[in-house]
Amino acid sequence: GENVEQHPSTLSVQEGDSAVIKCTYSDSASNYFPWYKQELGKRPQLIIDIRSNVGEKKDQRIAVTLNKTAKHFSLHITETQPEDSAVYFCAASGGGGNQFYFGTGTSLTVIP
Amino acid sequence: GAVVSQHPSRVICKSGTSVKIECRSLDFQATTMFWYRQFPKQSLMLMATSNEGSKATYEQGVEKDKFLINHASLTLSTLTVTSAHPEDSSFYICSAREVDTSTDTQYFGPGTRLTVL
């Protein structure tokens, strides 16, 4: 089955700086890679996603890059704000089913 | 749009009892719903895939007789934790995938916190 690894597990940045979170996956058949933001005690919220036929996608301060050959993808948040503080999860899907397999999560803290 | 609800949001029960959690897609139809378990400060672990009108598919290591899943309609899936024990205490979250769409996006419910005494 799919195995998704995520790094770092915790990340602290100063407000205004950039944050980068990286994930690797094992199943070369995976073709859909969403990123979710989860605040404490709340549901995960989709913030951006990318499909395997695209190398990069950007939405305002958030961008995701995908390297299919290396089987890794990254989340980039620029001009971070305190409200970006949360746990971020990457996921991989599509290798034979609709299931999402999540990374272990990154706790991001943006210091004002 | 694409709202998923869960009920109850919190439940406390005695060891040995069964607990039913409902997951509903409120404004769309979902042929597939997913059940996850999340321990504090940990990731979402996929437990099973619930398909409308057919048996659920369980992930390796998840006991199907322990976690009963029923997906009776295109808007409702239920998870029943049978004979619950303290180790079953966790945050259970469902998600739903919309019918007839090319998107792979899953929409998550708000979760149910189960505490077994």
Side-chain angles (χ1 to χ4, degrees):
Chain A
E2 176 66 279
N3 181 42
V4 180
E5 296 189 356
Q6 184 172 346
H7 299 280
S9 58
T10 59
L11 179 60
S12 292
V13 299
Q14 291 288 334
E15 182 177 359
D17 287 350
S18 296
V20 180
I21 303 170
K22 298 181 179 182
C23 288
T24 61
Y25 60 99
S26 61
D27 189 346
S28 57
S30 291
N31 56 17
Y32 176 65
F33 307 93
W35 286 88
Y36 285 84
K37 174 183 180 182
Q38 187 179 29
E39 297 178 7
L40 189 63
K42 296 188 176 180
R43 76 185 80 195
Q45 299 274 12
L46 178 70
I47 56 171
I48 196 166
D49 56 10
I50 192 168
R51 299 183 190 283
S52 58
N53 59 348
V54 175
E56 184 174 357
K57 183 177 178 180
K58 189 174 182 179
D59 182 3
Q60 299 183 334
R61 296 187 296 110
I62 296 173
V64 56
T65 58
L66 171 65
N67 183 325
K68 282 175 55 180
T69 303
K71 295 206 281 287
H72 67 69
F73 55 113
S74 300
L75 177 71
H76 305 252
I77 305 175
T78 59
E79 301 172 28
T80 54
Q81 301 167 2
E83 50 265 40
D84 294 329
S85 297
V87 179
Y88 291 81
F89 293 100
C90 64
S93 175
N98 300 320
Q99 296 88 344
F100 282 10
Y101 293 97
F102 282 86
T104 47
T106 297
S107 178
L108 173 64
T109 301
V110 179
I111 304 166
Chain B
V3 177
V4 177
S5 70
Q6 264 183 258
H7 179 80
S9 57
R10 289 178 179 272
V11 58
I12 301 172
C13 69
K14 293 182 179 180
S15 185
T17 60
S18 294
V19 175
K20 180 185 283 188
I21 303 170
E22 292 186 348
C23 177
R24 294 182 185 273
S25 55
L26 297 184
D27 52 1
F28 67 100
Q29 293 184 324
T31 48
T32 307
M33 291 184 173
F34 305 89
W35 288 96
Y36 296 85
R37 184 174 180 175
Q38 187 175 34
F39 290 104
K41 298 186 178 182
Q42 293 192 25
S43 187
L44 295 98
M45 184 192 77
L46 179 65
M47 298 175 64
T49 302
S50 171
N51 299 296
E52 188 266 337
S54 64
K55 291 183 178 181
T57 303
Y58 291 82
E59 294 297 302
Q60 191 172 10
V62 178
E63 300 177 59
K64 61 180 182 180
D65 295 330
K66 172 76 173 175
F67 300 99
L68 299 178
I69 291 173
N70 185 284
H71 193 155
S73 76
L74 286 172
T75 59
L76 174 64
S77 176
T78 60
L79 168 69
T80 301
V81 183
T82 62
S83 187
H85 291 285
E87 56 265 30
D88 298 324
S89 298
S90 190
F91 193 52
Y92 292 87
I93 306 180
C94 70
S95 71
R97 186 167 178 266
E98 197 168 353
V99 172
D100 295 332
T101 176
S102 61
T103 181
D104 295 305
T105 302
Q106 291 182 21
Y107 301 97
F108 283 84
T112 297
R113 185 159 303 282
L114 170 63
T115 302
V116 184
L117 303 176

